[in-house]
Amino acid sequence: MKQILKLTINITGFQKVENQNGCRQMILFDGIAEGTVFNGTILPGGVDTQKYSSDQSMSLSARYMLKGKDFNNNECSIFIENNASGKIGEELTTLPQLFTDSKNLAYLETANLFGKIENENGKTIIFIYENDESNQK
């Protein structure tokens, strides 16, 4: 397991609909992306769509774009779709899927990736890890 990205989330907006069956919310964000393979920014317009149900199940589906430089200092962009589901209050493991215009990072499109959501000093942090060491750059 190798950490490849640390995403520091800056929440910029929030919408919510709630009833007796649960809640649906959309959290808009941007932020900073740092890591061993890429450094740059999370562009404005990222959105995390969350569903909470009365049976305590929940799911999230976030989509966002990064702009910056790959590990060879080449400018590039990355699109990330990051999904998870589980029970409210349990630790979630996310399943990120990446798409990029970087030839150096193209291997990430098929790499075995997973993510963790944490809080550091009041900020939401997403860590993305590569599980398969054979796909290293």
Side-chain angles (χ1 to χ4, degrees), residues 34-47:
E34 305 167 287
T36 58
V37 299
F38 176 90
N39 285 284
T41 59
I42 303 168
L43 297 175
V47 63

Side-chain angles (χ1 to χ4, degrees), residues 8-100:
T8 304
I9 305 301
N10 175 47
I11 295 173
T12 60
F14 183 85
Q15 302 295 330
K16 183 177 187 177
V17 176
E18 203 169 7
N19 68 24
Q20 69 278 3
N21 297 317
C23 169
R24 304 296 184 260
Q25 57 191 24
M26 295 174 67
I27 301 169
L28 300 170
F29 61 92
D30 58 21
I32 303 295
E34 305 167 287
T36 58
V37 299
F38 176 90
N39 285 284
T41 59
I42 303 168
L43 297 175
V47 63
D48 183 7
T49 305
Q50 300 179 346
K51 299 177 183 179
Y52 295 91
S53 298
S54 58
D55 68 358
Q56 299 298 304
S57 65
M58 59 95 51
S59 65
L60 66 84
S61 181
R63 290 171 177 81
Y64 44 99
M65 291 209 184
L66 313 179
K67 185 124 182 111
K69 295 186 176 184
D70 67 21
F71 59 84
N72 277 339
N73 212 30
N74 297 311
E75 299 235 355
C76 64
S77 299
I78 301 172
F79 170 83
I80 300 176
E81 180 177 338
N82 205 358
N83 297 299
S85 61
K87 291 289 187 182
I88 296 171
E90 292 179 355
E91 181 178 79
L92 293 178
T93 299
T94 68
L95 298 172
Q97 296 177 321
L98 279 64
F99 181 83
T100 183

